[in-house]
Amino acid sequence: MLVDDLRPLVESQRPFEWDRLGQHLPYEWIECAVQASGSASIRRRRLPAQQVVWLVIALALYRHQSISEVVDELDLALPTPQASFVSKSAIAQARQRTGAAPLAWLFHESARNWVAQDQAKYLFKGFALFAMDGTTLQTADSAANRKHFGASAATHDRVGSYPQLRAVTLTTIATRLVRDASFGPYDINEMIWARELIPRVPDNSITVFDKGFLSAQLLCNLVSGGENRHFIIPAKSNTRWEVVRGHEGDQIVRMRVSPQARTKCPQLPEFWEARAVLAVDVRGRQRILLTSLTDRRRFKAADIVACYERRWQIETSYHELKQSMLGMELTLRSQTVQGVYQELWGALVAYNLIRLEIAKAALDAGHAPEDLSFIRAFHIIQYEMTWAAVTRSYGKLPMLLTRLRERLKQLPNEKRPGRTCARAVKSRPFRYTVRFLKRDLN
C-alpha cells in the first residue's frame, strides 16, 4: 500500500550521503567486522577490505548492473594517479581476499542493534513478535556451487537445473527486519537450520512458526532456553494429545515426546504441554493453534489468532528480498561457494538497511512500516546513493567522463586468459507426471 506522505517526508530530509548510511552502519562496525574476521588489508590497496564490504552491500542494491559499474558509479575504489579504474579481475580478487566472515559479522551486529532501536514501540503486550520460516535461493551453476549446495531432485530422476541453498530466517513482524539467519546446502533440512537459530531468539518474545516446524525438541528448547520466550504454531492433522483442562476451542493439552526425539535430546521430558486454540479464517476453515501462552486472562484466544494471522508478513519479506530487491534474477551472481555466502550476507544487510529507513520514515509519518512501499523506498535509496557519489563535486564530471573513456579503451583487454564459459541449455522440470498408456508399451 502506497502512502502519499512518503515522498514529502523523504524530500524534507537532507540529500543522501555516505555519512547518512554511516548513521546506521558506523565505520567502527565495518572496521570491527574486518578485524574480527582477520580480513584487514595489510598493504594499501585500491579496494581494501573496508571498501569491499560496502561493495558487496551495494551489489544487492544494484542487481542489474555489473560489478565494475557499481564500483565506478559509487566511486568505491580509492583514488590513485597510476590507474583511473579498477579491472574486473582486481575486484574479484578483492572479494576473495575479504571473504564472507566480515559480512556475516556485520549482519549479526547490525541486525541486533537495528531491531532493538524501535522495538519498544511495536511490542505486543510487552513481547516482541517474530516469525521463523524457510526459503530457497538459486545459485550460479558452477561446479563448486553444485558440489557444495546441491540441487533439488525433479521427476523422472532429473536433477535441478541450478544449485540451490536453503535458508531459515527470524524476522520481526512489525518492521520486517531480519533479526537472524542461517543458510547452507539445500540437502540440510530446515529444522536443522532452525535449531541453530533457537538459542539466539531474544528474550521476552513470541515467535510464530509454520506447521512444518512442529517439533517438541525445537519448541521446548525455545521456551526453556531463555526468559519469557513463547511460540505459536498450527497443529498438524496427525497431531495427537490428551486434554488436561479447558473448554472446547481453548484447552490445555499434553503431548507425548517420541522416543526418537528423546534419544537425540535426552533433556526432553516424556510429556510437554501447550495451549490449543481453535482458529477460524474468513473462508470458514478451522485450524488448531498450539502456543505456550497459557495465561488466558492476559492472552485471549482472539489475541493468539491475531498474532498468527500476521505470520504471512515473512512471506512478503522473502518476496521483497528475492523478487523486488534482487530484480527477479534467476540466480545469485557469485560463481564460488565463498562468494555466494558473502553475497547473501551482504544482501541481508542491504535489505535491513532499506527496512530500517522505512521504519524510521513510518515513525515520523505516524504510519505502520507495512504501509510504506518497499519498492519506492528501494528506488529512492538507489537514486540517492548514485546522486551522492556523482555530485560530491560539480567539477568532478569532466574527470568522470575522462575515466569512462579510458575504461572503454581497456574493456576489450579485460577478458582473463584461459577462462571459458560453455553455453548450456537448461532442462525444464515437468509440471505433471507423465502417464504411459498401454498402447505405448506395445
Side-chain angles (χ1 to χ4, degrees):
M1 173 174 155
L2 301 179
V3 176
D4 295 332
D5 302 58
L6 180 60
R7 183 173 294 277
L9 178 64
V10 175
E11 290 177 349
S12 64
Q13 300 178 0
R14 61 187 178 87
F16 188 96
E17 297 175 356
W18 284 103
D19 59 349
R20 177 178 166 188
L21 272 184
Q23 297 175 7
H24 301 317
L25 276 176
Y27 177 79
E28 291 76 16
W29 287 6
I30 298 179
E31 189 68 26
C32 289
V34 171
Q35 296 293 339
S37 59
S39 303
S41 300
I42 300 177
R43 53 184 259 196
R44 180 173 177 82
R45 302 179 184 271
R46 295 208 62 194
L47 279 175
Q50 293 85 345
Q51 296 298 104
V52 175
V53 170
W54 278 114
L55 170 61
V56 176
I57 296 173
L59 289 178
L61 297 173
Y62 298 89
R63 184 62 179 86
H64 291 296
Q65 292 183 267
S66 69
I67 189 170
S68 299
E69 291 174 334
V70 175
V71 172
D72 287 347
E73 291 192 13
L74 299 185
D75 202 17
L76 291 172
L78 299 181
T80 177
Q82 288 77 19
S84 58
F85 63 92
V86 182
S87 64
K88 288 184 179 180
S89 59
I91 299 174
Q93 292 171 10
R95 287 188 61 191
Q96 292 173 3
R97 286 193 305 268
T98 304
L103 276 303
W105 189 97
L106 183 63
F107 165 76
H108 288 105
E109 182 68 16
S110 60
R112 180 177 60 85
N113 283 274
W114 293 344
V115 170
Q117 282 184 11
D118 303 314
Q119 187 173 3
K121 299 180 178 64
Y122 299 105
L123 295 180
F124 171 75
K125 297 191 175 184
F127 290 87
L129 292 179
F130 295 94
M132 185 180 293
D133 205 354
T135 187
T136 59
L137 290 95
Q138 292 182 342
T139 70
D141 190 10
S142 65
N145 287 345
R146 188 170 286 275
K147 180 179 179 181
H148 178 80
F149 293 108
S152 60
T155 56
H156 306 288
D157 297 327
R158 289 174 176 263
V159 181
S161 297
Y162 291 91
Q164 287 182 305
L165 65 84
R166 192 183 299 276
V168 173
T169 63
L170 180 70
T171 303
T172 56
I173 292 180
T175 61
R176 298 184 193 171
L177 284 162
V178 180
R179 175 59 175 80
D180 213 330
S182 292
F183 54 89
Y186 179 83
D187 293 337
I188 299 180
N189 191 277
E190 289 181 349
M191 296 294 292
I192 298 178
W193 297 121
R195 289 169 193 163
E196 287 190 5
L197 294 182
I198 288 298
R200 305 200 290 266
V201 175
D203 294 335
N204 301 309
S205 63
I206 302 173
T207 305
V208 185
F209 295 88
D210 186 27
K211 64 180 179 181
F213 293 92
L214 182 56
S215 164
Q217 179 181 356
L218 191 74
L219 301 178
C220 289
N221 289 341
L222 172 69
V223 175
S224 62
E227 181 180 353
N228 290 328
R229 303 198 306 181
H230 298 277
F231 64 85
I232 300 175
I233 188 171
K236 297 180 180 179
S237 59
N238 60 350
T239 306
R240 299 292 178 265
W241 56 69
E242 173 188 351
V243 178
V244 177
R245 63 183 181 275
H247 55 82
E248 185 177 359
D250 192 350
Q251 303 170 331
I252 301 297
V253 298
R254 184 174 67 170
M255 293 163 282
R256 181 183 297 272
V257 180
S258 66
Q260 295 82 359
R262 297 189 66 192
T263 301
K264 294 180 182 179
C265 186
Q267 294 81 12
L268 290 176
E270 184 178 358
F271 295 93
W272 64 292
E273 292 187 356
R275 181 182 175 188
V277 176
L278 176 64
V280 182
D281 61 15
V282 294
R283 298 182 181 179
R285 295 176 300 184
Q286 296 183 352
R287 61 160 56 97
I288 301 296
L289 300 178
L290 300 176
T291 179
S292 56
L293 299 169
T294 56
D295 188 348
R296 295 179 180 173
R297 292 184 177 179
R298 185 178 182 185
F299 301 98
K300 302 184 182 301
D303 296 332
I304 296 174
V305 174
C307 285
Y308 177 77
E309 288 178 348
R310 300 182 66 185
R311 192 204 70 84
W312 64 269
Q313 294 187 18
I314 194 173
E315 304 293 348
T316 305
S317 176
Y318 288 148
H319 182 274
E320 293 168 348
L321 175 64
K322 296 166 61 175
Q323 273 73 35
S324 300
M325 198 175 78
L326 297 183
M328 299 288 289
E329 291 291 334
L330 189 62
T331 67
L332 298 174
R333 293 176 185 256
S334 304
Q335 300 284 334
T336 64
V337 174
Q338 191 74 357
V340 170
Y341 282 99
Q342 182 192 69
E343 182 179 353
L344 187 50
W345 285 124
L348 290 172
V349 175
Y351 175 77
N352 276 353
L353 270 173
I354 299 171
R355 271 286 152 201
L356 184 64
E357 285 285 330
I358 292 175
K360 298 295 185 183
L363 283 176
D364 292 341
H367 293 283
E370 60 263 25
D371 292 338
L372 302 189
S373 169
F374 177 85
I375 294 180
R376 287 185 65 184
F378 173 48
H379 289 167
I380 288 172
I381 290 177
Q382 280 182 319
Y383 298 150
E384 288 185 336
M385 287 181 65
T386 303
W387 184 251
V390 173
T391 60
R392 288 176 183 172
S393 173
Y394 291 105
K396 193 175 181 180
L397 289 177
M399 183 266 291
L400 291 176
L401 292 175
T402 302
R403 187 170 66 177
L404 174 61
R405 293 169 187 167
E406 292 295 325
R407 183 167 185 80
L408 290 174
K409 294 178 183 178
Q410 300 294 330
L411 279 177
N413 300 324
E414 285 196 7
K415 187 174 181 179
R416 285 175 279 177
R419 183 171 183 263
T420 59
C421 297
R423 298 183 64 183
V425 178
K426 294 295 181 180
S427 62
R428 300 182 64 180
F430 290 103
R431 294 183 61 191
Y432 307 103
T433 303
V434 177
R435 295 183 179 180
F436 295 96
L437 300 179
K438 291 184 178 180
R439 64 171 179 268
D440 298 329
L441 301 176
N442 295 334

